[in-house]
């Protein structure tokens, strides 16, 4: 689409850009998505954790990551039981209250609630609601072939709503664009790792979050302008501990929580919005592009509590993340009522204890509004380590 939708950052200084992105990332009304639809564009919403956005992009459809919002969830309450994580309810709430309008919705069986979300969503809207079944056993020699078929199944539905066929060349072009997107996000994370004093965790988060709902070409242009400005800042390093934040793979913490953590620590790595950077290397463009996307998920991907790959045991991958980022400690957190996240807290704690790595355990909720207790506990934890 020739029209531009993400232009308001131009002409702003870096602090103003950060503020703009923070506000945009927390806006439950998705103004850019609304502009896209008003211009005649189609939209696919996909729930956490990972979705191959190249398929939507290749059809000229805007992929939007649906990961809840700071809304009440009152409309969605009647569709769910009581003991569920917030992100399931608030994601449906966004659609029920017309804060976002979609042409297709895709969820994943990452937990019982997410698996049932597709059926509940489908009973309330007349557009397609699909479940993308990512391989439960990625170690099988048939997993790539299976996933290629799954991607092709989703592709047929995308073609239907887009009103056009997706060619291999379309996919190759989209792979190239998304490769650049992921590369730019990796560059941002390299800044967080090497010079974390140059960007606060809430600002780094917002820069990644806006990629989940704006056209990728515009995002790439934005990041290629902003990243050099971040690196060029003259900011003095402070005496803060380097920490890894683990537990943001699905429901996302409020920006104020990240800000509270940033006052005491440098967040040098994390798993926030991990699905947007799940593929760790460039996806190949030679040969069958759909097979290449499937292969990248199996062979070139990160880890999360909802992917069960025996080559990537979660506790080992966390230890590797801590080591590679030269972190001194970790914050092991989970969203309230998140069964996969809370289960991994036990595994992570045991592994960190065995390695003698200190850690801070916490729970959060996307609608959380008070952080005084967390700030005091975290400051005490850090001070005990610094002066031990």
């Amino acid at each position: 689409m020739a029209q531009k939708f993400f232009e308001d950052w131009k002409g702003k200084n870096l602090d103003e850009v950060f503020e703009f992105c923070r506000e945009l990332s927390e806006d439950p009304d998705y103004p850019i998505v609304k502009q896209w639809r008003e211009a005649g564009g189609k939209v696919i919403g996909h729930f956490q954790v990972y979705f191959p956005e190249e398929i939507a992009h290749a059809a000229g459809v805007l992929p939007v990551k649906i990961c809840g919002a700071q809304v009440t969830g009152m409309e969605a309450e009647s569709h769910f039981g009581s003991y569920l994580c917030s992100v399931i309810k608030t994601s449906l709430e966004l659609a029920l209250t017309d804060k976002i309008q979609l042409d297709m919705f895709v969820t994943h069986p990452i937990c019982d609630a997410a698996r049932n979300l597709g059926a509940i969503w489908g009973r309330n809207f007349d557009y397609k609601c699909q479940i993308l079944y990512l391989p439960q056993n990625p170690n099988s020699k048939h997993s790539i072939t299976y996933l290629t078929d799954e991607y092709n199944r989703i592709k047929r539905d995308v073609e239907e709503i887009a009103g056009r066929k997706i060619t291999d060349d379309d996919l190759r072009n989209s792979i190239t664009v998304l490769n650049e997107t992921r590369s730019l996000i990796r560059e941002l994370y390299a800044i967080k790792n090497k010079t974390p004093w140059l960007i606060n965790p809430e600002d780094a988060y917002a820069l990644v979050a806006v990629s989940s709902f704006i056209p990728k070409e515009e995002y790439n242009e934005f990041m290629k302008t902003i990243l050099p400005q971040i690196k060029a800042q003259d900011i003095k390093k402070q005496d803060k501990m380097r920490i890894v934040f683990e537990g943001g793979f699905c429901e996302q913490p409020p920006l104020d929580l990240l800000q509270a953590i940033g006052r005491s620590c440098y967040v040098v790595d994390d798993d926030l919005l991990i699905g947007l950077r799940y593929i760790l290397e460039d996806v190949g463009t030679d040969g069958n592009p759909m097979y290449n996307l499937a292969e990248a998920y199996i062979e070139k991907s990160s880890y999360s509590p909802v992917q069960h790959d025996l080559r990537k045991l979660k506790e080992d991958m966390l230890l590797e993340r801590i080591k590679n980022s030269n972190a001194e400690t970790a914050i092991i957190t989970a969203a309230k009522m998140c069964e996969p996240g809370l289960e991994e807290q036990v595994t992570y704690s045991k592994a960190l204890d065995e390695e003698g790595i200190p850690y801070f355990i916490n729970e959060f909720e996307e609608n959380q509004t008070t952080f005084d207790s967390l700030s005091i506990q975290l400051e005490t934890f850090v001070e005990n380590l610094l002066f031990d």
Side-chain angles (χ1 to χ4, degrees), residues 268-289:
V268 294
D269 202 358
D270 58 62
D271 64 344
L272 298 165
L273 292 171
I274 191 66
L276 294 174
R277 49 197 178 88
Y278 207 66
I279 307 302
L280 300 175
E281 305 173 26
D282 283 354
V283 180
T285 53
D286 295 333
N288 182 338

PDB file of all heavy atoms in Angstrom, residues 268-289:
ATOM      1  N   VAL A 268      19.549  -6.342  30.530  1.00  0.00           N
ATOM      2  CA  VAL A 268      20.438  -6.571  29.384  1.00  0.00           C
ATOM      3  C   VAL A 268      19.910  -7.639  28.424  1.00  0.00           C
ATOM      4  O   VAL A 268      20.433  -7.787  27.322  1.00  0.00           O
ATOM      5  CB  VAL A 268      21.861  -6.931  29.856  1.00  0.00           C
ATOM      6  CG1 VAL A 268      22.488  -5.740  30.572  1.00  0.00           C
ATOM      7  CG2 VAL A 268      21.849  -8.155  30.768  1.00  0.00           C
ATOM      8  N   ASP A 269      18.895  -8.372  28.838  1.00  0.00           N
ATOM      9  CA  ASP A 269      18.229  -9.308  27.930  1.00  0.00           C
ATOM     10  C   ASP A 269      16.907  -9.702  28.564  1.00  0.00           C
ATOM     11  O   ASP A 269      16.705  -9.555  29.780  1.00  0.00           O
ATOM     12  CB  ASP A 269      19.083 -10.540  27.654  1.00  0.00           C
ATOM     13  CG  ASP A 269      18.688 -11.238  26.344  1.00  0.00           C
ATOM     14  OD1 ASP A 269      17.732 -10.774  25.695  1.00  0.00           O
ATOM     15  OD2 ASP A 269      19.334 -12.237  25.980  1.00  0.00           O
ATOM     16  N   ASP A 270      15.988 -10.214  27.746  1.00  0.00           N
ATOM     17  CA  ASP A 270      14.667 -10.577  28.244  1.00  0.00           C
ATOM     18  C   ASP A 270      13.963 -11.435  27.208  1.00  0.00           C
ATOM     19  O   ASP A 270      14.478 -11.666  26.111  1.00  0.00           O
ATOM     20  CB  ASP A 270      13.838  -9.321  28.552  1.00  0.00           C
ATOM     21  CG  ASP A 270      13.681  -8.408  27.333  1.00  0.00           C
ATOM     22  OD1 ASP A 270      13.084  -8.851  26.328  1.00  0.00           O
ATOM     23  OD2 ASP A 270      14.167  -7.262  27.375  1.00  0.00           O
ATOM     24  N   ASP A 271      12.767 -11.909  27.568  1.00  0.00           N
ATOM     25  CA  ASP A 271      11.951 -12.658  26.603  1.00  0.00           C
ATOM     26  C   ASP A 271      10.649 -11.924  26.305  1.00  0.00           C
ATOM     27  O   ASP A 271       9.663 -12.523  25.893  1.00  0.00           O
ATOM     28  CB  ASP A 271      11.673 -14.076  27.115  1.00  0.00           C
ATOM     29  CG  ASP A 271      10.831 -14.090  28.389  1.00  0.00           C
ATOM     30  OD1 ASP A 271      10.706 -13.036  29.052  1.00  0.00           O
ATOM     31  OD2 ASP A 271      10.302 -15.165  28.731  1.00  0.00           O
ATOM     32  N   LEU A 272      10.645 -10.615  26.475  1.00  0.00           N
ATOM     33  CA  LEU A 272       9.465  -9.809  26.185  1.00  0.00           C
ATOM     34  C   LEU A 272       9.164  -9.832  24.691  1.00  0.00           C
ATOM     35  O   LEU A 272      10.060  -9.674  23.867  1.00  0.00           O
ATOM     36  CB  LEU A 272       9.682  -8.369  26.663  1.00  0.00           C
ATOM     37  CG  LEU A 272       9.905  -8.197  28.168  1.00  0.00           C
ATOM     38  CD1 LEU A 272      10.458  -6.811  28.467  1.00  0.00           C
ATOM     39  CD2 LEU A 272       8.611  -8.451  28.925  1.00  0.00           C
ATOM     40  N   LEU A 273       7.894 -10.053  24.346  1.00  0.00           N
ATOM     41  CA  LEU A 273       7.475 -10.094  22.941  1.00  0.00           C
ATOM     42  C   LEU A 273       8.394 -10.997  22.108  1.00  0.00           C
ATOM     43  O   LEU A 273       8.749 -10.683  20.976  1.00  0.00           O
ATOM     44  CB  LEU A 273       7.454  -8.674  22.357  1.00  0.00           C
ATOM     45  CG  LEU A 273       6.374  -7.741  22.926  1.00  0.00           C
ATOM     46  CD1 LEU A 273       6.586  -6.311  22.430  1.00  0.00           C
ATOM     47  CD2 LEU A 273       4.976  -8.217  22.570  1.00  0.00           C
ATOM     48  N   ILE A 274       8.756 -12.127  22.696  1.00  0.00           N
ATOM     49  CA  ILE A 274       9.744 -13.001  22.069  1.00  0.00           C
ATOM     50  C   ILE A 274       9.289 -13.497  20.693  1.00  0.00           C
ATOM     51  O   ILE A 274      10.110 -13.773  19.814  1.00  0.00           O
ATOM     52  CB  ILE A 274      10.073 -14.200  22.994  1.00  0.00           C
ATOM     53  CG1 ILE A 274      11.285 -14.983  22.488  1.00  0.00           C
ATOM     54  CG2 ILE A 274       8.875 -15.109  23.164  1.00  0.00           C
ATOM     55  CD1 ILE A 274      12.577 -14.224  22.537  1.00  0.00           C
ATOM     56  N   GLY A 275       7.980 -13.578  20.481  1.00  0.00           N
ATOM     57  CA  GLY A 275       7.488 -14.057  19.191  1.00  0.00           C
ATOM     58  C   GLY A 275       7.886 -13.182  18.018  1.00  0.00           C
ATOM     59  O   GLY A 275       8.027 -13.668  16.895  1.00  0.00           O
ATOM     60  N   LEU A 276       8.087 -11.889  18.265  1.00  0.00           N
ATOM     61  CA  LEU A 276       8.466 -10.971  17.188  1.00  0.00           C
ATOM     62  C   LEU A 276       9.919 -11.143  16.779  1.00  0.00           C
ATOM     63  O   LEU A 276      10.334 -10.642  15.733  1.00  0.00           O
ATOM     64  CB  LEU A 276       8.215  -9.522  17.627  1.00  0.00           C
ATOM     65  CG  LEU A 276       6.750  -9.149  17.844  1.00  0.00           C
ATOM     66  CD1 LEU A 276       6.645  -7.740  18.417  1.00  0.00           C
ATOM     67  CD2 LEU A 276       5.960  -9.234  16.539  1.00  0.00           C
ATOM     68  N   ARG A 277      10.709 -11.812  17.613  1.00  0.00           N
ATOM     69  CA  ARG A 277      12.122 -12.036  17.305  1.00  0.00           C
ATOM     70  C   ARG A 277      12.489 -13.499  17.571  1.00  0.00           C
ATOM     71  O   ARG A 277      13.616 -13.809  17.918  1.00  0.00           O
ATOM     72  CB  ARG A 277      13.011 -11.087  18.130  1.00  0.00           C
ATOM     73  CG  ARG A 277      12.679 -11.063  19.597  1.00  0.00           C
ATOM     74  CD  ARG A 277      13.269  -9.856  20.329  1.00  0.00           C
ATOM     75  NE  ARG A 277      12.880  -9.867  21.722  1.00  0.00           N
ATOM     76  CZ  ARG A 277      13.540 -10.474  22.688  1.00  0.00           C
ATOM     77  NH1 ARG A 277      14.672 -11.112  22.418  1.00  0.00           N
ATOM     78  NH2 ARG A 277      13.104 -10.447  23.929  1.00  0.00           N
ATOM     79  N   TYR A 278      11.484 -14.361  17.370  1.00  0.00           N
ATOM     80  CA  TYR A 278      11.667 -15.781  17.677  1.00  0.00           C
ATOM     81  C   TYR A 278      12.673 -16.441  16.744  1.00  0.00           C
ATOM     82  O   TYR A 278      13.401 -17.350  17.134  1.00  0.00           O
ATOM     83  CB  TYR A 278      10.320 -16.498  17.593  1.00  0.00           C
ATOM     84  CG  TYR A 278      10.234 -17.716  18.468  1.00  0.00           C
ATOM     85  CD1 TYR A 278      10.276 -17.598  19.851  1.00  0.00           C
ATOM     86  CD2 TYR A 278      10.112 -18.985  17.915  1.00  0.00           C
ATOM     87  CE1 TYR A 278      10.201 -18.715  20.660  1.00  0.00           C
ATOM     88  CE2 TYR A 278      10.032 -20.108  18.722  1.00  0.00           C
ATOM     89  CZ  TYR A 278      10.081 -19.960  20.092  1.00  0.00           C
ATOM     90  OH  TYR A 278      10.018 -21.069  20.889  1.00  0.00           O
ATOM     91  N   ILE A 279      12.691 -15.987  15.496  1.00  0.00           N
ATOM     92  CA  ILE A 279      13.646 -16.520  14.520  1.00  0.00           C
ATOM     93  C   ILE A 279      14.958 -15.774  14.707  1.00  0.00           C
ATOM     94  O   ILE A 279      15.017 -14.548  14.556  1.00  0.00           O
ATOM     95  CB  ILE A 279      13.127 -16.374  13.085  1.00  0.00           C
ATOM     96  CG1 ILE A 279      11.722 -16.986  12.966  1.00  0.00           C
ATOM     97  CG2 ILE A 279      14.082 -17.032  12.115  1.00  0.00           C
ATOM     98  CD1 ILE A 279      11.633 -18.443  13.351  1.00  0.00           C
ATOM     99  N   LEU A 280      16.015 -16.492  15.021  1.00  0.00           N
ATOM    100  CA  LEU A 280      17.276 -15.886  15.441  1.00  0.00           C
ATOM    101  C   LEU A 280      18.228 -15.580  14.298  1.00  0.00           C
ATOM    102  O   LEU A 280      19.189 -14.833  14.480  1.00  0.00           O
ATOM    103  CB  LEU A 280      17.976 -16.818  16.439  1.00  0.00           C
ATOM    104  CG  LEU A 280      17.192 -17.131  17.717  1.00  0.00           C
ATOM    105  CD1 LEU A 280      17.941 -18.161  18.553  1.00  0.00           C
ATOM    106  CD2 LEU A 280      16.942 -15.874  18.518  1.00  0.00           C
ATOM    107  N   GLU A 281      17.994 -16.163  13.135  1.00  0.00           N
ATOM    108  CA  GLU A 281      18.849 -15.938  11.969  1.00  0.00           C
ATOM    109  C   GLU A 281      17.972 -15.610  10.764  1.00  0.00           C
ATOM    110  O   GLU A 281      16.758 -15.826  10.791  1.00  0.00           O
ATOM    111  CB  GLU A 281      19.683 -17.193  11.661  1.00  0.00           C
ATOM    112  CG  GLU A 281      20.524 -17.703  12.808  1.00  0.00           C
ATOM    113  CD  GLU A 281      21.175 -19.035  12.484  1.00  0.00           C
ATOM    114  OE1 GLU A 281      21.380 -19.307  11.270  1.00  0.00           O
ATOM    115  OE2 GLU A 281      21.442 -19.810  13.405  1.00  0.00           O
ATOM    116  N   ASP A 282      18.593 -15.089   9.729  1.00  0.00           N
ATOM    117  CA  ASP A 282      17.837 -14.797   8.511  1.00  0.00           C
ATOM    118  C   ASP A 282      17.239 -16.072   7.935  1.00  0.00           C
ATOM    119  O   ASP A 282      17.896 -17.123   7.890  1.00  0.00           O
ATOM    120  CB  ASP A 282      18.737 -14.139   7.467  1.00  0.00           C
ATOM    121  CG  ASP A 282      19.010 -12.674   7.762  1.00  0.00           C
ATOM    122  OD1 ASP A 282      18.406 -12.140   8.711  1.00  0.00           O
ATOM    123  OD2 ASP A 282      19.822 -12.070   7.040  1.00  0.00           O
ATOM    124  N   VAL A 283      15.992 -15.962   7.499  1.00  0.00           N
ATOM    125  CA  VAL A 283      15.329 -17.068   6.809  1.00  0.00           C
ATOM    126  C   VAL A 283      15.817 -17.075   5.366  1.00  0.00           C
ATOM    127  O   VAL A 283      15.927 -16.026   4.728  1.00  0.00           O
ATOM    128  CB  VAL A 283      13.803 -16.899   6.855  1.00  0.00           C
ATOM    129  CG1 VAL A 283      13.105 -18.057   6.144  1.00  0.00           C
ATOM    130  CG2 VAL A 283      13.320 -16.795   8.305  1.00  0.00           C
ATOM    131  N   GLY A 284      16.098 -18.258   4.839  1.00  0.00           N
ATOM    132  CA  GLY A 284      16.594 -18.368   3.471  1.00  0.00           C
ATOM    133  C   GLY A 284      15.544 -17.974   2.443  1.00  0.00           C
ATOM    134  O   GLY A 284      14.337 -18.117   2.676  1.00  0.00           O
ATOM    135  N   THR A 285      16.004 -17.485   1.309  1.00  0.00           N
ATOM    136  CA  THR A 285      15.095 -17.099   0.225  1.00  0.00           C
ATOM    137  C   THR A 285      15.230 -17.991  -1.009  1.00  0.00           C
ATOM    138  O   THR A 285      14.467 -17.852  -1.961  1.00  0.00           O
ATOM    139  CB  THR A 285      15.332 -15.628  -0.186  1.00  0.00           C
ATOM    140  OG1 THR A 285      16.721 -15.436  -0.481  1.00  0.00           O
ATOM    141  CG2 THR A 285      14.917 -14.680   0.934  1.00  0.00           C
ATOM    142  N   ASP A 286      16.206 -18.882  -1.004  1.00  0.00           N
ATOM    143  CA  ASP A 286      16.356 -19.826  -2.118  1.00  0.00           C
ATOM    144  C   ASP A 286      15.408 -21.011  -1.917  1.00  0.00           C
ATOM    145  O   ASP A 286      15.094 -21.382  -0.781  1.00  0.00           O
ATOM    146  CB  ASP A 286      17.794 -20.340  -2.215  1.00  0.00           C
ATOM    147  CG  ASP A 286      18.782 -19.242  -2.562  1.00  0.00           C
ATOM    148  OD1 ASP A 286      18.360 -18.263  -3.202  1.00  0.00           O
ATOM    149  OD2 ASP A 286      19.969 -19.360  -2.187  1.00  0.00           O
ATOM    150  N   GLY A 287      14.974 -21.602  -3.018  1.00  0.00           N
ATOM    151  CA  GLY A 287      14.138 -22.793  -2.913  1.00  0.00           C
ATOM    152  C   GLY A 287      12.716 -22.476  -2.503  1.00  0.00           C
ATOM    153  O   GLY A 287      12.171 -21.409  -2.804  1.00  0.00           O
ATOM    154  N   ASN A 288      12.087 -23.414  -1.790  1.00  0.00           N
ATOM    155  CA  ASN A 288      10.688 -23.302  -1.380  1.00  0.00           C
ATOM    156  C   ASN A 288      10.581 -22.359  -0.176  1.00  0.00           C
ATOM    157  O   ASN A 288      11.016 -22.707   0.924  1.00  0.00           O
ATOM    158  CB  ASN A 288      10.151 -24.696  -1.026  1.00  0.00           C
ATOM    159  CG  ASN A 288       8.677 -24.675  -0.642  1.00  0.00           C
ATOM    160  OD1 ASN A 288       8.131 -23.655  -0.244  1.00  0.00           O
ATOM    161  ND2 ASN A 288       8.040 -25.832  -0.740  1.00  0.00           N
ATOM    162  N   PRO A 289       9.996 -21.169  -0.312  1.00  0.00           N
ATOM    163  CA  PRO A 289       9.978 -20.209   0.798  1.00  0.00           C
ATOM    164  C   PRO A 289       9.154 -20.676   1.989  1.00  0.00           C
ATOM    165  O   PRO A 289       9.493 -20.370   3.137  1.00  0.00           O
ATOM    166  CB  PRO A 289       9.392 -18.948   0.163  1.00  0.00           C
ATOM    167  CG  PRO A 289       8.630 -19.421  -1.033  1.00  0.00           C
ATOM    168  CD  PRO A 289       9.377 -20.619  -1.527  1.00  0.00           C
TER     169      PRO A 289
END
